[in-house]
Amino acid sequence: MGRAPCCDKASVKKGPWSPEEDAKLKAYIEENGTGGNWIALPQKIGLKRCGKSCRLRWLNYLRPNIKHGDFTEEEEHIICSLYISIGSRWSIIAAQLPGRTDNDIKNYWNTKLKKKLLGKRAPSRRARANQDPCGGLAATAGGGGGTAAAAHQALSSSALERIQLHMRLQGLYNNAFGCTTTSNGGGVAPPQWPKLEALLPNRSLPAPVQPTDAVATAVTVQHPNHLVVAQTLAAASAATSEAFQVAEHLDPAAATGANYMPGCLDQRSKLGFCPSSAGEAAGVAASVEMTSSSMAGGGFVAGYGLHDELYDFLYKCESVGVAHGGIIPSLPELQCPDGSAIIGADEKFSTWTSSCDYGSGGAGDYVLGYDQ
DNA sequence: AAATGCGACAACCGCATTATC
DNA sequence: CGATAATGCGGTTGTCGCATT
């Protein structure tokens, strides 16, 4: 049983709005307001449009003080920072940018910022359409055979992108500051993440960013160590929380050991985002606001925050590249938990997640924190 | 000059959440 | 308190225009 349509699609006009329609809608709302009922509004003013369409048109284009195009560097900063922190909560991000709409920001991210940051060209829709149509079916069909692919699909592209952004930034660090991700004494070198200094250490937004449901739902893991991790990261960064949950998802056993970040409390505390005790972690998790003070101490470079990283990445990549052979540094390499492969994190992260066979037992025990 | 590829943006669709009865 | 309607939101698609072949 599907949901009842919000309007009679047969008698409703679709497609681009004409200037006449815009004028009608604008004039009516400016004079009378929406009347609290978008569904009834088009009939009132004689528009053959769905109420939802009217609402969208008003919110995105007709209401006063809407800005279009020409995003400033400051706006790009805010968008990137918030995206890494909270994901594709476009309405929340838009709330921090007066005059911008969620649709505008979403389009800007998908068409420009994402490519700028991830440094890779997303396949065009045409290209995607030309891909093997059986691939998706094969990945989802059947029971155990598609475990990895299914898990891969379960991880939202948004989460992947955010993980990749962290990785990419880390790659810049490693190359720019001579850090490496080589072995730490025989074991697999843990991926080093950018410090998770809280959002906005240097600049302030109009309002503090509140954790969203995505953050709150991240606390789902049973193991005591895992719980600490999840709670800590829920307060620090939903994106990295997901990353750790993915790591646990890929290899729950390894995740409790020293090789993986989720179990590597020392490493995490060095990076400045891990409380030293479970109680402290719970305290951090209980903190409602994400503030720089709650995460202070032990950062990679004192006073150098995510915003600065993003700024450097967005606008100073060339200088970094020049200093390192004129090539934008590649991402650190990662090794599968089972040691089966070492691959670059950039283009191959998704390959890694889908190719590592981490068994079927753990899949049901871990809940992806991000609600997508 | 025509065909094709691609980016950008507007709009739609369907699910989730909230409000109302 | 449950059912239904309205609204909000994010993902996806359609379309247009420019660039390239």
Side-chain angles (χ1 to χ4, degrees), chain A residues 33-47:
Chain A
T34 64
N37 189 343
W38 284 106
I39 302 297
L41 192 144
Q43 282 103 47
K44 281 184 191 171
I45 58 179
L47 279 177

Side-chain angles (χ1 to χ4, degrees), chain A residues 315-330:
Chain A
Y315 304 110
K316 299 181 183 175
C317 269
E318 283 184 13
S319 61
V320 174
V322 166
H324 295 270
I327 302 169
I328 293 176
S330 60

Side-chain angles (χ1 to χ4, degrees), chain A residues 120-140:
Chain A
K120 77 182 199 182
R121 249 173 71 179
S124 68
R125 276 187 284 133
R126 282 195 183 95
R128 287 196 302 271
N130 289 336
Q131 286 173 351
D132 178 13
C134 299
L137 289 175
T140 53

Side-chain angles (χ1 to χ4, degrees), chain A residues 14-310:
Chain A
K14 292 165 71 171
W17 280 64
S18 68
E20 292 76 23
E21 289 175 312
D22 281 346
K24 265 188 183 178
L25 182 61
K26 193 160 189 270
Y28 181 87
I29 294 178
E30 282 178 346
E31 183 147 346
N32 306 295
T34 64
N37 189 343
W38 284 106
I39 302 297
L41 192 144
Q43 282 103 47
K44 281 184 191 171
I45 58 179
L47 279 177
K48 292 182 182 303
R49 291 278 180 177
C50 172
K52 288 175 74 170
S53 180
C54 292
R55 174 184 162 272
L56 202 67
R57 187 67 184 172
W58 170 255
L59 290 178
N60 286 343
Y61 298 97
L62 298 179
R63 77 184 151 106
N65 304 322
I66 291 289
K67 284 192 285 184
H68 283 109
D70 297 329
F71 279 74
T72 65
E73 291 183 8
E74 186 73 17
E75 287 174 319
E76 288 189 0
H77 276 139
I78 294 172
I79 294 168
C80 291
S81 298
L82 288 175
Y83 184 86
I84 289 173
S85 293
I86 64 175
S88 56
R89 299 296 203 270
W90 303 118
S91 61
I92 296 173
I93 296 172
Q96 309 302 325
L97 300 173
R100 300 293 186 185
T101 68
D102 54 353
N103 208 38
D104 235 13
I105 294 169
K106 179 171 58 179
N107 283 331
Y108 188 67
W109 170 264
N110 284 329
T111 57
K112 290 181 183 169
L113 270 183
K114 183 165 70 175
K115 291 165 194 168
K116 202 171 180 177
L117 281 165
L118 293 178
K120 77 182 199 182
R121 249 173 71 179
S124 68
R125 276 187 284 133
R126 282 195 183 95
R128 287 196 302 271
N130 289 336
Q131 286 173 351
D132 178 13
C134 299
L137 289 175
T140 53
T147 306
H152 181 203
Q153 286 189 336
L155 177 65
S156 69
S157 59
S158 166
L160 272 175
E161 284 165 11
R162 287 151 62 200
I163 292 165
Q164 287 178 323
L165 287 175
H166 276 290
M167 288 178 157
R168 194 143 188 93
L169 288 170
Q170 182 63 50
L172 287 174
Y173 268 125
N174 294 343
N175 284 275
F177 298 105
C179 302
T180 65
T181 54
T182 53
S183 169
N184 57 349
V188 176
Q192 292 184 345
W193 301 85
K195 71 203 169 303
L196 292 177
E197 190 175 17
L199 189 63
L200 313 173
N202 300 328
R203 300 176 178 85
S204 59
L205 288 176
V209 178
Q210 302 293 332
T212 67
D213 53 337
V215 176
T217 56
V219 185
T220 57
V221 185
Q222 299 296 318
H223 189 282
N225 276 352
H226 294 171
L227 190 61
V228 171
V229 169
Q231 287 175 325
T232 305
L233 293 169
S237 164
T240 315
S241 171
E242 287 169 356
F244 288 172
Q245 289 184 18
V246 168
E248 291 167 343
H249 192 75
L250 289 170
D251 191 341
T256 62
N259 288 346
Y260 247 97
M261 296 290 285
C264 188
L265 298 177
D266 288 345
Q267 284 291 337
R268 282 180 285 121
S269 62
K270 283 177 189 170
L271 290 172
F273 58 82
C274 181
S276 57
S277 69
E280 197 179 338
V284 172
S287 173
V288 176
E289 296 191 14
M290 295 192 295
T291 65
S292 56
S293 61
S294 71
M295 304 304 294
F300 190 83
V301 178
Y304 191 84
L306 179 57
H307 250 296
D308 302 285
E309 295 172 38
L310 285 167

Side-chain angles (χ1 to χ4, degrees), chain A residues 343-363:
Chain A
I343 58 175
D346 188 3
E347 296 285 336
K348 298 176 182 173
F349 183 82
S350 58
T351 306
W352 170 50
T353 60
S354 59
S355 63
C356 293
D357 180 10
Y358 44 87
S360 57

